[in-house]
Amino acid sequence: MNLEQFPKKVRIVEVGARDGLQNEKSVIDTADKVEFIKKLADAGHQSIEVTSFVRPDRIAQMSDAKELFPLVKKIIDPDKTQLICLVPNLKGLELASELGVKDVAVFTATSDSFNLKNINATVSQSFDRIEPVIEKALASGMRVRGYVSTAFGCPYEGAMDPRKAGLVAQRLDQMGCHEISIGDTIGTGTPYSVHKVLDEVLKSVSQEKVALHFHDTRGMAVANVMAGLERGIAHYDSSAGGLGGCPYAKGATGNVGTEDLIYLFHTFGIDCGVDLDKQCVSSLYMLEKLEKYTTSKFLQAYLNGKMKIYMPSPKDF
Amino acid sequence: MNLEQFPKKVRIVEVGARDGLQNEKSVIDTADKVEFIKKLADAGHQSIEVTSFVRPDRIAQMSDAKELFPLVKKIIDPDKTQLICLVPNLKGLELASELGVKDVAVFTATSDSFNLKNINATVSQSFDRIEPVIEKALASGMRVRGYVSTAFGCPYEGAMDPRKAGLVAQRLDQMGCHEISIGDTIGTGTPYSVHKVLDEVLKSVSQEKVALHFHDTRGMAVANVMAGLERGIAHYDSSAGGLGGCPYAKGATGNVGTEDLIYLFHTFGIDCGVDLDKQCVSSLYMLEKLEKYTTSKFLQAYLNGKMKIYMPSPKDF
């Protein structure tokens, strides 16, 4: 462990309200989503993924995007918290633009099979769609985040060649994305593959533009973040309480819990700007609405009254 | 990540039948424990913690130690699988000796407060008890494993000075323990403190004698094992399915799940000799008896039918 390679500060991109909720069956009231996002911003989050401008009939949980965004925008200080919205196409971008969205995200994957099932386009075809979206977004002064899904493994193709993640990331970078989030969509990544994928991605994309997005399906996510820290990566996606994954449901593949990452960062003395106690309260607010238990082990410990025991930091050693 | 420092082979010490079950409320039938241990041995385990020779009125789950051990011994090949029994004192050792136990384990902690609550002795007083046990065990040709509890944190004292773990480990080493297991009893350890504690322990104890024992209370255990691998540590304690911790119960502090570790090792191409599929089947056998869900995220994914997707290994990259 070479602490000198570690970033001094990290930023969490809280994806619970979008990537998390999108994978939850119970559809949450718009007002409850607004309150959830407000709590997350109050906890100190600099970046919150708010919603996705998809066709309302495609994903029920995201069908209130048009109503939700203005309500959130009204109460969140844009200088403190970046509000990110997914836009799958030009129609989504147009809507986002009308509503005054400043940060959009586009997505593709490294796997043709996954992309075909998900967005009915090969990886190459997806770039034909994304390119005009990015161009138009940049022209209207927005910032664009790019997602690279299935970078570590694909449910249909299995292991993915890390060079594919490198090439997709490079292309998103060249198109003008200010940040590229490398995603372990199905949670098969491990520290070994994280290093291999970063070897490829960092060949063309500069370190400060790279974010990592892990799902904790097989319990590797925190170790994967450690691998990212060792490579100097400073941006990590996570979801409040591990929203999106359910320990009881078939097909559970939730994002790593934000609480687990804040705890990890804290113990290294790395500042992420988010208050852990407030984060727990925010997560529990939404988990209660969903009537579900958390997949975040830290939040489980918190619920068991164990957080107060002590929070070790480097000065303790 | 310097893979050259990683051990080529690792050994898991499967503690589900003792450390795991001891923390479960439902008392399991002796015959079911025997079957569980048989399944674990068949999965390839080289070391299984079987039971603890404590006073039968102290821990109900361990009160069948005298009946259990001979039944296990009868069916397990001693050349393939080491059967470890905890002995808290000379009386326990005597019983173990009569039953033909070859591997015993003794335990103490780095924290006086914890030891006083647990065994009514300070750390220093505990050594007065342990020393004759180790001497006698060695004299009768047994091997002795030493446990260092609360090495990373104590429920009463908070953060522990890593030098204490170093000193306790050194003393157990000097007394003749062939292996010293450094335990994160309450699961507050993180990769940072693992490195700090190992800095101290490795000053006096040679690397090949050190084992690490993590509880996954705050989701850090797999990352902690990664830190251990980086320091060349080759022995890891874990429990089948994360037995001992319950996601619903207050005070859940289960051992890291054996499945999560086998998966981690596999993806690095590190041989641990245990078949992951057979491990899952063994764990599920006992979880069914306990009527509980697993805390191991890998086993959760396995139950969701996700293991078959693919098992990445270094040759995939």
Side-chain angles (χ1 to χ4, degrees), chain B residues 19-39:
Chain B
D19 199 10
L21 287 185
Q22 184 168 324
N23 291 297
E24 297 289 350
K25 274 181 195 156
S26 343
V27 176
I28 297 296
D29 287 347
T30 307
D32 293 336
K33 291 182 189 171
V34 174
E35 180 61 24
F36 176 47
I37 293 166
K38 184 181 178 301
K39 283 185 190 303

mmCIF file with all atom_site columns, all heavy atoms in Angstrom, chain B residues 19-39:
data_model
loop_
_atom_site.group_PDB
_atom_site.id
_atom_site.type_symbol
_atom_site.label_atom_id
_atom_site.label_alt_id
_atom_site.label_comp_id
_atom_site.label_asym_id
_atom_site.label_entity_id
_atom_site.label_seq_id
_atom_site.pdbx_PDB_ins_code
_atom_site.Cartn_x
_atom_site.Cartn_y
_atom_site.Cartn_z
_atom_site.occupancy
_atom_site.B_iso_or_equiv
_atom_site.pdbx_formal_charge
_atom_site.auth_seq_id
_atom_site.auth_comp_id
_atom_site.auth_asym_id
_atom_site.auth_atom_id
_atom_site.pdbx_PDB_model_num
ATOM 1   N N   . ASP B 1 19 ? -16.433 -20.675 15.673 1.00 0.00 ? 19 ASP B N   1
ATOM 2   C CA  . ASP B 1 19 ? -16.656 -19.226 15.849 1.00 0.00 ? 19 ASP B CA  1
ATOM 3   C C   . ASP B 1 19 ? -18.002 -18.819 15.271 1.00 0.00 ? 19 ASP B C   1
ATOM 4   O O   . ASP B 1 19 ? -18.711 -17.982 15.833 1.00 0.00 ? 19 ASP B O   1
ATOM 5   C CB  . ASP B 1 19 ? -15.519 -18.452 15.159 1.00 0.00 ? 19 ASP B CB  1
ATOM 6   C CG  . ASP B 1 19 ? -15.405 -17.009 15.662 1.00 0.00 ? 19 ASP B CG  1
ATOM 7   O OD1 . ASP B 1 19 ? -16.062 -16.669 16.659 1.00 0.00 ? 19 ASP B OD1 1
ATOM 8   O OD2 . ASP B 1 19 ? -14.657 -16.223 15.048 1.00 0.00 ? 19 ASP B OD2 1
ATOM 9   N N   . GLY B 1 20 ? -18.368 -19.449 14.152 1.00 0.00 ? 20 GLY B N   1
ATOM 10  C CA  . GLY B 1 20 ? -19.660 -19.164 13.539 1.00 0.00 ? 20 GLY B CA  1
ATOM 11  C C   . GLY B 1 20 ? -20.812 -19.623 14.418 1.00 0.00 ? 20 GLY B C   1
ATOM 12  O O   . GLY B 1 20 ? -21.591 -18.815 14.923 1.00 0.00 ? 20 GLY B O   1
ATOM 13  N N   . LEU B 1 21 ? -20.889 -20.934 14.640 1.00 0.00 ? 21 LEU B N   1
ATOM 14  C CA  . LEU B 1 21 ? -22.037 -21.483 15.388 1.00 0.00 ? 21 LEU B CA  1
ATOM 15  C C   . LEU B 1 21 ? -22.120 -20.953 16.811 1.00 0.00 ? 21 LEU B C   1
ATOM 16  O O   . LEU B 1 21 ? -23.206 -20.792 17.360 1.00 0.00 ? 21 LEU B O   1
ATOM 17  C CB  . LEU B 1 21 ? -21.975 -23.015 15.403 1.00 0.00 ? 21 LEU B CB  1
ATOM 18  C CG  . LEU B 1 21 ? -22.318 -23.706 14.077 1.00 0.00 ? 21 LEU B CG  1
ATOM 19  C CD1 . LEU B 1 21 ? -22.336 -25.227 14.266 1.00 0.00 ? 21 LEU B CD1 1
ATOM 20  C CD2 . LEU B 1 21 ? -23.673 -23.240 13.546 1.00 0.00 ? 21 LEU B CD2 1
ATOM 21  N N   . GLN B 1 22 ? -20.973 -20.675 17.408 1.00 0.00 ? 22 GLN B N   1
ATOM 22  C CA  . GLN B 1 22 ? -20.980 -20.168 18.790 1.00 0.00 ? 22 GLN B CA  1
ATOM 23  C C   . GLN B 1 22 ? -21.794 -18.875 18.910 1.00 0.00 ? 22 GLN B C   1
ATOM 24  O O   . GLN B 1 22 ? -22.343 -18.575 19.971 1.00 0.00 ? 22 GLN B O   1
ATOM 25  C CB  . GLN B 1 22 ? -19.535 -19.937 19.246 1.00 0.00 ? 22 GLN B CB  1
ATOM 26  C CG  . GLN B 1 22 ? -19.430 -19.508 20.693 1.00 0.00 ? 22 GLN B CG  1
ATOM 27  C CD  . GLN B 1 22 ? -18.002 -19.562 21.196 1.00 0.00 ? 22 GLN B CD  1
ATOM 28  O OE1 . GLN B 1 22 ? -17.226 -20.443 20.823 1.00 0.00 ? 22 GLN B OE1 1
ATOM 29  N NE2 . GLN B 1 22 ? -17.635 -18.630 22.042 1.00 0.00 ? 22 GLN B NE2 1
ATOM 30  N N   . ASN B 1 23 ? -21.840 -18.121 17.819 1.00 0.00 ? 23 ASN B N   1
ATOM 31  C CA  . ASN B 1 23 ? -22.580 -16.869 17.831 1.00 0.00 ? 23 ASN B CA  1
ATOM 32  C C   . ASN B 1 23 ? -23.992 -16.993 17.256 1.00 0.00 ? 23 ASN B C   1
ATOM 33  O O   . ASN B 1 23 ? -24.638 -15.996 16.963 1.00 0.00 ? 23 ASN B O   1
ATOM 34  C CB  . ASN B 1 23 ? -21.775 -15.804 17.088 1.00 0.00 ? 23 ASN B CB  1
ATOM 35  C CG  . ASN B 1 23 ? -20.532 -15.424 17.876 1.00 0.00 ? 23 ASN B CG  1
ATOM 36  O OD1 . ASN B 1 23 ? -20.639 -14.912 18.978 1.00 0.00 ? 23 ASN B OD1 1
ATOM 37  N ND2 . ASN B 1 23 ? -19.363 -15.725 17.339 1.00 0.00 ? 23 ASN B ND2 1
ATOM 38  N N   . GLU B 1 24 ? -24.439 -18.220 17.077 1.00 0.00 ? 24 GLU B N   1
ATOM 39  C CA  . GLU B 1 24 ? -25.803 -18.451 16.603 1.00 0.00 ? 24 GLU B CA  1
ATOM 40  C C   . GLU B 1 24 ? -26.640 -18.934 17.781 1.00 0.00 ? 24 GLU B C   1
ATOM 41  O O   . GLU B 1 24 ? -26.191 -19.772 18.563 1.00 0.00 ? 24 GLU B O   1
ATOM 42  C CB  . GLU B 1 24 ? -25.815 -19.526 15.503 1.00 0.00 ? 24 GLU B CB  1
ATOM 43  C CG  . GLU B 1 24 ? -25.040 -19.157 14.253 1.00 0.00 ? 24 GLU B CG  1
ATOM 44  C CD  . GLU B 1 24 ? -25.709 -18.069 13.425 1.00 0.00 ? 24 GLU B CD  1
ATOM 45  O OE1 . GLU B 1 24 ? -26.870 -17.721 13.703 1.00 0.00 ? 24 GLU B OE1 1
ATOM 46  O OE2 . GLU B 1 24 ? -25.049 -17.561 12.493 1.00 0.00 ? 24 GLU B OE2 1
ATOM 47  N N   . LYS B 1 25 ? -27.863 -18.427 17.851 1.00 0.00 ? 25 LYS B N   1
ATOM 48  C CA  . LYS B 1 25 ? -28.711 -18.785 18.996 1.00 0.00 ? 25 LYS B CA  1
ATOM 49  C C   . LYS B 1 25 ? -29.242 -20.221 18.948 1.00 0.00 ? 25 LYS B C   1
ATOM 50  O O   . LYS B 1 25 ? -29.241 -20.905 19.950 1.00 0.00 ? 25 LYS B O   1
ATOM 51  C CB  . LYS B 1 25 ? -29.879 -17.787 19.105 1.00 0.00 ? 25 LYS B CB  1
ATOM 52  C CG  . LYS B 1 25 ? -29.464 -16.559 19.902 1.00 0.00 ? 25 LYS B CG  1
ATOM 53  C CD  . LYS B 1 25 ? -30.611 -15.572 20.037 1.00 0.00 ? 25 LYS B CD  1
ATOM 54  C CE  . LYS B 1 25 ? -30.061 -14.226 20.511 1.00 0.00 ? 25 LYS B CE  1
ATOM 55  N NZ  . LYS B 1 25 ? -30.933 -13.128 20.129 1.00 0.00 ? 25 LYS B NZ  1
ATOM 56  N N   . SER B 1 26 ? -29.703 -20.654 17.750 1.00 0.00 ? 26 SER B N   1
ATOM 57  C CA  . SER B 1 26 ? -30.263 -22.014 17.700 1.00 0.00 ? 26 SER B CA  1
ATOM 58  C C   . SER B 1 26 ? -29.149 -23.031 17.922 1.00 0.00 ? 26 SER B C   1
ATOM 59  O O   . SER B 1 26 ? -28.127 -23.010 17.228 1.00 0.00 ? 26 SER B O   1
ATOM 60  C CB  . SER B 1 26 ? -30.895 -22.326 16.340 1.00 0.00 ? 26 SER B CB  1
ATOM 61  O OG  . SER B 1 26 ? -31.139 -21.173 15.596 1.00 0.00 ? 26 SER B OG  1
ATOM 62  N N   . VAL B 1 27 ? -29.372 -23.926 18.862 1.00 0.00 ? 27 VAL B N   1
ATOM 63  C CA  . VAL B 1 27 ? -28.389 -24.976 19.129 1.00 0.00 ? 27 VAL B CA  1
ATOM 64  C C   . VAL B 1 27 ? -28.611 -26.113 18.135 1.00 0.00 ? 27 VAL B C   1
ATOM 65  O O   . VAL B 1 27 ? -29.723 -26.609 17.964 1.00 0.00 ? 27 VAL B O   1
ATOM 66  C CB  . VAL B 1 27 ? -28.487 -25.468 20.592 1.00 0.00 ? 27 VAL B CB  1
ATOM 67  C CG1 . VAL B 1 27 ? -27.535 -26.634 20.822 1.00 0.00 ? 27 VAL B CG1 1
ATOM 68  C CG2 . VAL B 1 27 ? -28.153 -24.322 21.548 1.00 0.00 ? 27 VAL B CG2 1
ATOM 69  N N   . ILE B 1 28 ? -27.522 -26.455 17.455 1.00 0.00 ? 28 ILE B N   1
ATOM 70  C CA  . ILE B 1 28 ? -27.582 -27.432 16.363 1.00 0.00 ? 28 ILE B CA  1
ATOM 71  C C   . ILE B 1 28 ? -27.284 -28.837 16.897 1.00 0.00 ? 28 ILE B C   1
ATOM 72  O O   . ILE B 1 28 ? -26.411 -28.999 17.754 1.00 0.00 ? 28 ILE B O   1
ATOM 73  C CB  . ILE B 1 28 ? -26.542 -27.030 15.290 1.00 0.00 ? 28 ILE B CB  1
ATOM 74  C CG1 . ILE B 1 28 ? -26.898 -25.650 14.688 1.00 0.00 ? 28 ILE B CG1 1
ATOM 75  C CG2 . ILE B 1 28 ? -26.400 -28.071 14.187 1.00 0.00 ? 28 ILE B CG2 1
ATOM 76  C CD1 . ILE B 1 28 ? -28.209 -25.604 13.942 1.00 0.00 ? 28 ILE B CD1 1
ATOM 77  N N   . ASP B 1 29 ? -27.972 -29.824 16.348 1.00 0.00 ? 29 ASP B N   1
ATOM 78  C CA  . ASP B 1 29 ? -27.717 -31.221 16.745 1.00 0.00 ? 29 ASP B CA  1
ATOM 79  C C   . ASP B 1 29 ? -26.293 -31.630 16.399 1.00 0.00 ? 29 ASP B C   1
ATOM 80  O O   . ASP B 1 29 ? -25.776 -31.247 15.345 1.00 0.00 ? 29 ASP B O   1
ATOM 81  C CB  . ASP B 1 29 ? -28.663 -32.165 15.969 1.00 0.00 ? 29 ASP B CB  1
ATOM 82  C CG  . ASP B 1 29 ? -30.089 -32.073 16.468 1.00 0.00 ? 29 ASP B CG  1
ATOM 83  O OD1 . ASP B 1 29 ? -30.311 -31.490 17.551 1.00 0.00 ? 29 ASP B OD1 1
ATOM 84  O OD2 . ASP B 1 29 ? -30.982 -32.572 15.747 1.00 0.00 ? 29 ASP B OD2 1
ATOM 85  N N   . THR B 1 30 ? -25.725 -32.462 17.253 1.00 0.00 ? 30 THR B N   1
ATOM 86  C CA  . THR B 1 30 ? -24.360 -32.934 17.025 1.00 0.00 ? 30 THR B CA  1
ATOM 87  C C   . THR B 1 30 ? -24.220 -33.611 15.656 1.00 0.00 ? 30 THR B C   1
ATOM 88  O O   . THR B 1 30 ? -23.263 -33.342 14.922 1.00 0.00 ? 30 THR B O   1
ATOM 89  C CB  . THR B 1 30 ? -23.957 -33.915 18.148 1.00 0.00 ? 30 THR B CB  1
ATOM 90  O OG1 . THR B 1 30 ? -24.203 -33.265 19.407 1.00 0.00 ? 30 THR B OG1 1
ATOM 91  C CG2 . THR B 1 30 ? -22.493 -34.289 18.059 1.00 0.00 ? 30 THR B CG2 1
ATOM 92  N N   . ALA B 1 31 ? -25.197 -34.436 15.298 1.00 0.00 ? 31 ALA B N   1
ATOM 93  C CA  . ALA B 1 31 ? -25.116 -35.156 14.012 1.00 0.00 ? 31 ALA B CA  1
ATOM 94  C C   . ALA B 1 31 ? -25.083 -34.183 12.831 1.00 0.00 ? 31 ALA B C   1
ATOM 95  O O   . ALA B 1 31 ? -24.388 -34.422 11.843 1.00 0.00 ? 31 ALA B O   1
ATOM 96  C CB  . ALA B 1 31 ? -26.300 -36.107 13.872 1.00 0.00 ? 31 ALA B CB  1
ATOM 97  N N   . ASP B 1 32 ? -25.812 -33.081 12.946 1.00 0.00 ? 32 ASP B N   1
ATOM 98  C CA  . ASP B 1 32 ? -25.828 -32.085 11.870 1.00 0.00 ? 32 ASP B CA  1
ATOM 99  C C   . ASP B 1 32 ? -24.486 -31.355 11.788 1.00 0.00 ? 32 ASP B C   1
ATOM 100 O O   . ASP B 1 32 ? -24.024 -31.010 10.703 1.00 0.00 ? 32 ASP B O   1
ATOM 101 C CB  . ASP B 1 32 ? -26.963 -31.083 12.085 1.00 0.00 ? 32 ASP B CB  1
ATOM 102 C CG  . ASP B 1 32 ? -28.331 -31.736 11.942 1.00 0.00 ? 32 ASP B CG  1
ATOM 103 O OD1 . ASP B 1 32 ? -28.422 -32.775 11.252 1.00 0.00 ? 32 ASP B OD1 1
ATOM 104 O OD2 . ASP B 1 32 ? -29.303 -31.209 12.517 1.00 0.00 ? 32 ASP B OD2 1
ATOM 105 N N   . LYS B 1 33 ? -23.872 -31.128 12.943 1.00 0.00 ? 33 LYS B N   1
ATOM 106 C CA  . LYS B 1 33 ? -22.536 -30.514 12.937 1.00 0.00 ? 33 LYS B CA  1
ATOM 107 C C   . LYS B 1 33 ? -21.525 -31.442 12.273 1.00 0.00 ? 33 LYS B C   1
ATOM 108 O O   . LYS B 1 33 ? -20.675 -31.006 11.498 1.00 0.00 ? 33 LYS B O   1
ATOM 109 C CB  . LYS B 1 33 ? -22.085 -30.227 14.376 1.00 0.00 ? 33 LYS B CB  1
ATOM 110 C CG  . LYS B 1 33 ? -22.862 -29.119 15.078 1.00 0.00 ? 33 LYS B CG  1
ATOM 111 C CD  . LYS B 1 33 ? -22.292 -28.896 16.480 1.00 0.00 ? 33 LYS B CD  1
ATOM 112 C CE  . LYS B 1 33 ? -23.163 -27.958 17.293 1.00 0.00 ? 33 LYS B CE  1
ATOM 113 N NZ  . LYS B 1 33 ? -22.765 -27.899 18.706 1.00 0.00 ? 33 LYS B NZ  1
ATOM 114 N N   . VAL B 1 34 ? -21.639 -32.735 12.575 1.00 0.00 ? 34 VAL B N   1
ATOM 115 C CA  . VAL B 1 34 ? -20.714 -33.713 11.978 1.00 0.00 ? 34 VAL B CA  1
ATOM 116 C C   . VAL B 1 34 ? -20.861 -33.690 10.459 1.00 0.00 ? 34 VAL B C   1
ATOM 117 O O   . VAL B 1 34 ? -19.866 -33.622 9.727  1.00 0.00 ? 34 VAL B O   1
ATOM 118 C CB  . VAL B 1 34 ? -20.983 -35.145 12.526 1.00 0.00 ? 34 VAL B CB  1
ATOM 119 C CG1 . VAL B 1 34 ? -20.128 -36.168 11.792 1.00 0.00 ? 34 VAL B CG1 1
ATOM 120 C CG2 . VAL B 1 34 ? -20.715 -35.197 14.027 1.00 0.00 ? 34 VAL B CG2 1
ATOM 121 N N   . GLU B 1 35 ? -22.095 -33.705 9.992  1.00 0.00 ? 35 GLU B N   1
ATOM 122 C CA  . GLU B 1 35 ? -22.344 -33.702 8.544  1.00 0.00 ? 35 GLU B CA  1
ATOM 123 C C   . GLU B 1 35 ? -21.802 -32.417 7.899  1.00 0.00 ? 35 GLU B C   1
ATOM 124 O O   . GLU B 1 35 ? -21.205 -32.442 6.819  1.00 0.00 ? 35 GLU B O   1
ATOM 125 C CB  . GLU B 1 35 ? -23.850 -33.845 8.291  1.00 0.00 ? 35 GLU B CB  1
ATOM 126 C CG  . GLU B 1 35 ? -24.266 -33.867 6.831  1.00 0.00 ? 35 GLU B CG  1
ATOM 127 C CD  . GLU B 1 35 ? -23.676 -35.015 6.029  1.00 0.00 ? 35 GLU B CD  1
ATOM 128 O OE1 . GLU B 1 35 ? -23.312 -36.047 6.628  1.00 0.00 ? 35 GLU B OE1 1
ATOM 129 O OE2 . GLU B 1 35 ? -23.554 -34.866 4.789  1.00 0.00 ? 35 GLU B OE2 1
ATOM 130 N N   . PHE B 1 36 ? -21.995 -31.302 8.569  1.00 0.00 ? 36 PHE B N   1
ATOM 131 C CA  . PHE B 1 36 ? -21.497 -29.996 8.095  1.00 0.00 ? 36 PHE B CA  1
ATOM 132 C C   . PHE B 1 36 ? -19.975 -30.043 7.955  1.00 0.00 ? 36 PHE B C   1
ATOM 133 O O   . PHE B 1 36 ? -19.411 -29.674 6.903  1.00 0.00 ? 36 PHE B O   1
ATOM 134 C CB  . PHE B 1 36 ? -21.940 -28.939 9.115  1.00 0.00 ? 36 PHE B CB  1
ATOM 135 C CG  . PHE B 1 36 ? -21.446 -27.539 8.876  1.00 0.00 ? 36 PHE B CG  1
ATOM 136 C CD1 . PHE B 1 36 ? -21.510 -26.943 7.614  1.00 0.00 ? 36 PHE B CD1 1
ATOM 137 C CD2 . PHE B 1 36 ? -20.928 -26.781 9.941  1.00 0.00 ? 36 PHE B CD2 1
ATOM 138 C CE1 . PHE B 1 36 ? -21.073 -25.630 7.418  1.00 0.00 ? 36 PHE B CE1 1
ATOM 139 C CE2 . PHE B 1 36 ? -20.496 -25.479 9.758  1.00 0.00 ? 36 PHE B CE2 1
ATOM 140 C CZ  . PHE B 1 36 ? -20.561 -24.906 8.494  1.00 0.00 ? 36 PHE B CZ  1
ATOM 141 N N   . ILE B 1 37 ? -19.305 -30.528 8.988  1.00 0.00 ? 37 ILE B N   1
ATOM 142 C CA  . ILE B 1 37 ? -17.841 -30.584 8.968  1.00 0.00 ? 37 ILE B CA  1
ATOM 143 C C   . ILE B 1 37 ? -17.356 -31.557 7.893  1.00 0.00 ? 37 ILE B C   1
ATOM 144 O O   . ILE B 1 37 ? -16.371 -31.288 7.200  1.00 0.00 ? 37 ILE B O   1
ATOM 145 C CB  . ILE B 1 37 ? -17.314 -30.939 10.377 1.00 0.00 ? 37 ILE B CB  1
ATOM 146 C CG1 . ILE B 1 37 ? -17.614 -29.771 11.332 1.00 0.00 ? 37 ILE B CG1 1
ATOM 147 C CG2 . ILE B 1 37 ? -15.824 -31.280 10.348 1.00 0.00 ? 37 ILE B CG2 1
ATOM 148 C CD1 . ILE B 1 37 ? -17.468 -30.095 12.811 1.00 0.00 ? 37 ILE B CD1 1
ATOM 149 N N   . LYS B 1 38 ? -18.079 -32.644 7.707  1.00 0.00 ? 38 LYS B N   1
ATOM 150 C CA  . LYS B 1 38 ? -17.720 -33.610 6.664  1.00 0.00 ? 38 LYS B CA  1
ATOM 151 C C   . LYS B 1 38 ? -17.812 -32.935 5.287  1.00 0.00 ? 38 LYS B C   1
ATOM 152 O O   . LYS B 1 38 ? -16.924 -33.074 4.444  1.00 0.00 ? 38 LYS B O   1
ATOM 153 C CB  . LYS B 1 38 ? -18.673 -34.809 6.723  1.00 0.00 ? 38 LYS B CB  1
ATOM 154 C CG  . LYS B 1 38 ? -18.317 -35.908 5.727  1.00 0.00 ? 38 LYS B CG  1
ATOM 155 C CD  . LYS B 1 38 ? -19.299 -37.066 5.810  1.00 0.00 ? 38 LYS B CD  1
ATOM 156 C CE  . LYS B 1 38 ? -18.970 -38.141 4.793  1.00 0.00 ? 38 LYS B CE  1
ATOM 157 N NZ  . LYS B 1 38 ? -18.976 -37.656 3.409  1.00 0.00 ? 38 LYS B NZ  1
ATOM 158 N N   . LYS B 1 39 ? -18.885 -32.197 5.074  1.00 0.00 ? 39 LYS B N   1
ATOM 159 C CA  . LYS B 1 39 ? -19.058 -31.508 3.788  1.00 0.00 ? 39 LYS B CA  1
ATOM 160 C C   . LYS B 1 39 ? -17.925 -30.495 3.558  1.00 0.00 ? 39 LYS B C   1
ATOM 161 O O   . LYS B 1 39 ? -17.403 -30.357 2.456  1.00 0.00 ? 39 LYS B O   1
ATOM 162 C CB  . LYS B 1 39 ? -20.404 -30.772 3.748  1.00 0.00 ? 39 LYS B CB  1
ATOM 163 C CG  . LYS B 1 39 ? -21.610 -31.673 3.521  1.00 0.00 ? 39 LYS B CG  1
ATOM 164 C CD  . LYS B 1 39 ? -22.883 -30.824 3.379  1.00 0.00 ? 39 LYS B CD  1
ATOM 165 C CE  . LYS B 1 39 ? -24.148 -31.660 3.387  1.00 0.00 ? 39 LYS B CE  1
ATOM 166 N NZ  . LYS B 1 39 ? -24.204 -32.697 2.354  1.00 0.00 ? 39 LYS B NZ  1
#
